[in-house]
Amino acid sequence: MKEHLFFPERLDVAAFARDAGQLSGELPAGGLTRLADAAAAEAPATAWPTVKWSVTGERREPRGAQAQVWLHLEASAETQMTCQRCLRPVKEHVEFDRWFHFVHDEAAAAAIDAETEEDVLVLSRSFDLFELIEDELLLSLPLVPRHEQCPEPLTLPLDQPLTEAEQGAERPHPFAALAALKKQGPAQ
């Protein structure tokens, strides 16, 4: 039997599952442009470690039903995003480990998706696995990246002590102008 060569950029998912194919590798993080957009300005994705991934195809044949095509996909990455507290780069480890069920058309995908919690996708003879990896890594990113404890104490402009001139000067009341208008009475 002839062994197939499979390429992650244009994967024939049905053939890959039928052959119980396995692929793994590493991707430069900077090459995943949407993931790179999440990078902290001081830590671009081109400086991140590579993204590690692996995929396995499986054909399941349940009794009394059509054969099913499945992919098991895992990936992990070390990212650096902007901490929402101190606005400095924070390292975030993101990973996922998911099974994807492939069906023949959008209608079947919508029907199965409505009934179950499975991740359902449509079969393709030239499926871009790297795009799916990037999608799943993006979904794995924290909504609010932040350090457990920021490396430097947070300083706010309000924390600065007032100068002697500022302490002695009386601040105007914010509603003083309204009070003056009220005393004048209604406009004629």
Side-chain angles (χ1 to χ4, degrees):
M1 183 159 124
K2 182 181 171 189
E3 190 172 313
H4 289 100
L5 287 178
F6 295 105
F7 302 97
E9 299 92 344
R10 55 184 195 282
L11 186 64
D12 182 345
V13 178
F16 186 72
R18 183 188 61 237
D19 291 356
Q22 294 182 345
L23 292 172
S24 63
E26 296 184 3
L27 288 167
L32 301 173
T33 54
R34 292 178 295 141
L35 184 63
D37 286 345
E42 305 88 342
T46 53
W48 296 353
T50 57
V51 174
K52 294 171 179 50
W53 62 272
S54 68
V55 64
T56 305
E58 183 178 308
R59 184 179 164 115
R60 298 179 186 172
E61 297 185 19
R63 289 184 190 217
Q66 250 184 344
Q68 298 175 348
V69 174
W70 290 81
L71 286 184
H72 179 235
L73 181 60
E74 300 176 66
S76 65
E78 296 294 329
T79 66
Q80 289 199 35
M81 302 172 69
T82 302
C83 172
Q84 298 301 300
R85 284 190 204 137
C86 67
L87 303 178
R88 292 185 177 33
V90 58
K91 289 183 182 181
E92 295 284 354
H93 176 79
V94 291
E95 63 184 356
F96 67 89
D97 182 341
R98 278 206 177 78
W99 282 94
F100 295 91
H101 180 190
F102 283 80
V103 295
H104 292 285
D105 57 33
E106 290 288 337
I112 292 171
D113 194 38
E115 296 172 9
T116 68
E117 293 292 318
E118 297 172 357
D119 290 316
V120 183
L121 299 172
V122 177
L123 274 172
S124 170
R125 296 195 75 201
S126 61
F127 185 77
D128 188 347
L129 187 65
F130 294 154
E131 189 173 307
L132 180 59
I133 290 170
E134 185 174 21
D135 288 345
E136 293 301 317
L137 287 172
L138 285 167
L139 290 171
S140 300
L141 289 174
L143 292 176
V144 182
R146 61 180 182 238
H147 295 100
E148 295 244 352
Q149 186 167 1
C150 292
E152 296 176 21
L154 301 178
T155 56
L156 300 174
L158 299 175
D159 292 344
Q160 298 173 357
L162 296 175
T163 63
E164 286 182 31
E166 291 173 332
Q167 288 175 355
E170 189 168 317
R171 296 173 63 184
H173 191 275
F175 295 106
L178 286 175
L181 286 173
K182 191 174 179 182
K183 287 181 183 177
Q184 287 179 351
Q188 305 286 346

